[in-house]
Amino acid sequence: MTDALDTLRQEVRLWLEGNAPQDWRDHCTTEEAFVDLQRSWFATLAKGGYAVPHWPAGWPGGGRGLAEQKVIYEEFARADTPRLLLSFMSTYHAASTLFEWGSEAQRQYYIPRILDGEIWCQGFSEPNAGSDLASLKTRAERQGDVYIVNGQKLWSTMGQFADKCLLLVRTSSEGAKQAGLTYLLLDLKAKGVTVRPIHQIHGDEEFAEVFLDNVEIPVTDRLGKEGQGWAVAQSTLSSERGLTLLELSARMRGALWRIGDLIRANGRDNDSGILRDFGRLATKVDAACAVADQFLANRIAGEERVGDASIVKLSYSRTLRGFTSLGLRIGGMDTQYHDPITFGGGMETGNWMADFMNSYAWTIAGGSDEVQRNIIAERLLGMPREPKSWTLKEAVA
Amino acid sequence: MSMTRAELQDAADKAFGQSDLAPDAEKAWGLIAEMGFLMMAVPEAQGGLGLGLEAAGVVHDALGRVLVPGPAIAQMLVIEALNAADTLADRDSLIERAVGGEVMTASLALRNSATLLTCVPNADRASHVLLVEEARIALLPMDGLTITPRDTWDKTRRLFDVSVDGSTPQIILAEGNASTALAQRLSMQRSFALAADSLGGANATLRLTIDYLETRHQFDRPLALFQALKHRVADLKTAIVAAEALLWERASDRAMDAITMGALKAHACNVYRMVTEEAVQLHGGIGLTMEHHCHLFLKRAMLNAALGGDADHWEEETGRQALGQAIA
């Protein structure tokens, strides 16, 4: 087993030597350059058989076990290749949802297109439904063979570059809120769709909002039955748990040299206070890597518990905040002057103010730190869940 | 490894899991010897179990959970030093006596002078004490050495100063390069054991705190329902789980050095301190009293943080080392 993994590691390393893009961080200072690089790197990976190791066997590049995927990610992090931000939703969220819920016809139509580079985004969040998905309001009404959809979606990662969208809509307001949801596949080129990028606090446009005005979606582009949307969405949300954080924490460890460089460049090498903070951070980064690693080992062994993923995410997001804010502090006044940001450069580009502000994406997006803390307390530690009626009764009283 | 970590954990839990906090010192020591905990790291060739650092981690974690008193960490350092002394004529009999429960102790301080050893547990019951110097590591019979008891806040450990003079007979265990290498290993073991003891204690403290929050009612509902408190508990749990993952990773990493293990120790002790400080606060008034157990963990956490080099020392060393490695 270990021998096979070592062989794989050598293979990946060798392949990366010939194929990994060089100096891309320096060139990715415009949106166009970012999109070009993302598309060409995905095509290279697809050809090399490393774009979709998590797909089922039978699809090109698929059929890798978790331990193999881990090796591949570790090597990618080590070679500092660009992360697949643009095709991330399509190869993980869209693909895994299609594999689990799609009809044979839907799979045969959509999956090969994803491998060809079709970009997907996710249309779950709404202006008034962040972490509380069940309360979303975008409406779909069936008229014959189509649904007519009206509403607004928010925080669709990479939505402005996407071709398709995983759309969660309300088809009924009767009964339990979750039971009125339906899952649709939206073509973003369809009539009535407007996509507008959102400028984040550091100037990048990672997210978009999507406006839907009487958009027609064929009933054949529904995943699961009408009213089954909540269940389908759960499998979309759990599709990439674990691996991403393993890759990201490995990347953070790989980027510690940036802070080391800064300490030397600013002549702080003998400043005990700075050295202590750096030493404490380095150990915290090691711990964040170790906990991601352990999570994956438990998952491979089938011993994952509800809440384990929240521990990994919370531990990564807090450590990342510490990492970027230490860089910001040691970088001093230089970090206050605006430099062009590296699009898609991750959160350890050395542009400290941008990286620091970007770290909020991890403490807020994908379930905020506060939501993770609730999950850890209630699901993992078994503390009582707050009764829904409490807040209201108390407020009225 | 013939036993898995889970099996060892089971054995350790059976021995100490059910006992009261800070159990009777004599009984606990007898149990430690009887269970074979002291022979775990001893190579099989010397009659031990050859289980290495991971097994030591399980044991110290278990001892930390119930605040077992006694010199287990110091004793394991002596056993490690004896293992290394392969030219010593009566090594095997000394090891046999040590794993059998005869107390042989060592200083748990970061540094000592050649004439004074500090932070030596249970010196009054010990037959020997370990002396670690720059160029030489030796075992000293306690007969004739002057010991001074030090009254510690943490009553689960009894510490002594031990005065050494030039005329004290010495059983030399290592000299020169061998001594330098052994001193590194002893430092690593001390750091690792203190880290494991700390995380065991942190876990027990968190459990105690959650139980209290679930039992205690205020404003007609259990404290455990308040989100402000739940979130603090979740942060503590997250810190403990990440530190434990690091502990087990470093236990099995063959490329460890004294600084990396010291960094683990500093990190684990920071977590232990944070958990015990929060525990006192979350217990409210009762946490401030001697009647409740919180203070026992808090005091042991503070002592662990000070023994074997404090966080300031190890974090600075770690920072320097990371700076060296970070040359791109």
Side-chain angles (χ1 to χ4, degrees), chain A residues 66-342:
Chain A
L66 274 175
E68 291 176 301
Q69 294 176 47
K70 184 185 145 185
V71 167
I72 293 172
Y73 275 119
E74 279 171 354
E75 287 306 308
F76 280 27
R78 185 177 166 274
D80 192 28
T81 59
R83 288 188 60 224
L84 287 177
L85 292 172
L86 207 52
S87 42
F88 188 72
M89 284 280 167
S90 31
T91 63
Y92 277 91
H93 299 63
S96 73
T97 316
L98 281 160
F99 284 130
E100 193 174 339
W101 292 90
S103 65
E104 187 56 28
Q106 286 170 328
R107 281 202 296 270
Q108 291 303 332
Y109 180 80
Y110 284 113
I111 301 282
R113 285 172 170 73
I114 290 175
L115 209 48
D116 281 346
E118 194 168 70
I119 307 297
W120 285 69
C121 69
Q122 184 176 293
F124 284 11
S125 296
E126 291 185 7
N128 290 311
S131 296
D132 183 14
L133 271 187
S135 67
L136 62 82
K137 292 193 170 56
T138 293
R139 223 93 203 125
E141 275 169 62
R142 182 157 176 179
Q143 288 182 11
D145 290 340
V146 296
Y147 286 100
I148 310 292
V149 187
N150 282 286
Q152 183 195 349
K153 291 291 173 178
L154 197 61
W155 309 122
S156 296
T157 306
M158 301 285 149
Q160 64 275 40
F161 310 112
D163 307 297
K164 298 279 174 10
C165 177
L166 303 167
L167 193 70
L168 198 55
V169 297
R170 179 162 300 285
T171 39
S172 162
S173 30
E174 309 286 307
K177 287 196 287 186
Q178 281 90 340
L181 302 179
T182 297
Y183 202 106
L184 301 173
L185 306 173
L186 165 71
D187 183 349
L188 288 168
K189 310 284 184 299
K191 192 165 162 278
V193 178
T194 312
V195 180
R196 209 166 64 189
I198 302 169
H199 286 264
Q200 281 169 256
I201 51 180
H202 59 305
D204 197 353
E205 297 166 359
E206 194 181 323
F207 304 106
E209 48 191 341
V210 180
F211 299 90
L212 302 155
D213 179 18
N214 284 319
V215 178
E216 287 187 14
I217 300 178
V219 173
T220 49
D221 279 340
R222 187 186 68 210
L223 278 190
K225 298 195 180 84
E226 190 172 300
Q228 239 181 353
W230 180 258
V232 184
Q234 293 311 310
S235 70
T236 303
L237 291 171
S238 65
S239 65
E240 51 84 28
R241 232 173 18 193
L243 274 173
T244 310
L245 287 164
L246 182 87
E247 185 192 2
L248 286 169
S249 36
R251 279 176 182 270
M252 188 164 33
R253 174 147 64 189
L256 273 172
W257 64 267
R258 287 191 184 278
I259 297 184
D261 263 13
L262 210 54
I263 291 173
R264 272 190 297 271
N266 293 341
R268 309 288 289 272
D269 340 25
N270 285 311
D271 181 330
S272 294
I274 294 284
L275 288 172
R276 280 173 196 163
D277 289 344
F278 185 41
R280 195 181 311 120
L281 173 74
T283 310
K284 279 186 182 168
V285 172
D286 282 349
C289 290
V291 80
D293 218 26
Q294 174 188 280
F295 171 79
L296 211 62
N298 286 347
R299 208 178 175 197
I300 292 170
E303 290 164 5
E304 180 186 344
R305 294 168 304 169
V306 180
D308 284 350
S310 297
I311 294 236
V312 182
K313 181 169 185 277
L314 188 58
S315 138
Y316 173 77
S317 67
R318 298 326 294 187
T319 310
L320 181 68
R321 178 69 52 76
F323 178 96
T324 55
S325 61
L326 184 63
L328 191 62
R329 193 182 113 211
I330 301 174
M333 200 48 214
D334 283 349
T335 64
Q336 301 296 321
Y337 300 115
H338 192 279
D339 279 329
I341 60 166
T342 308

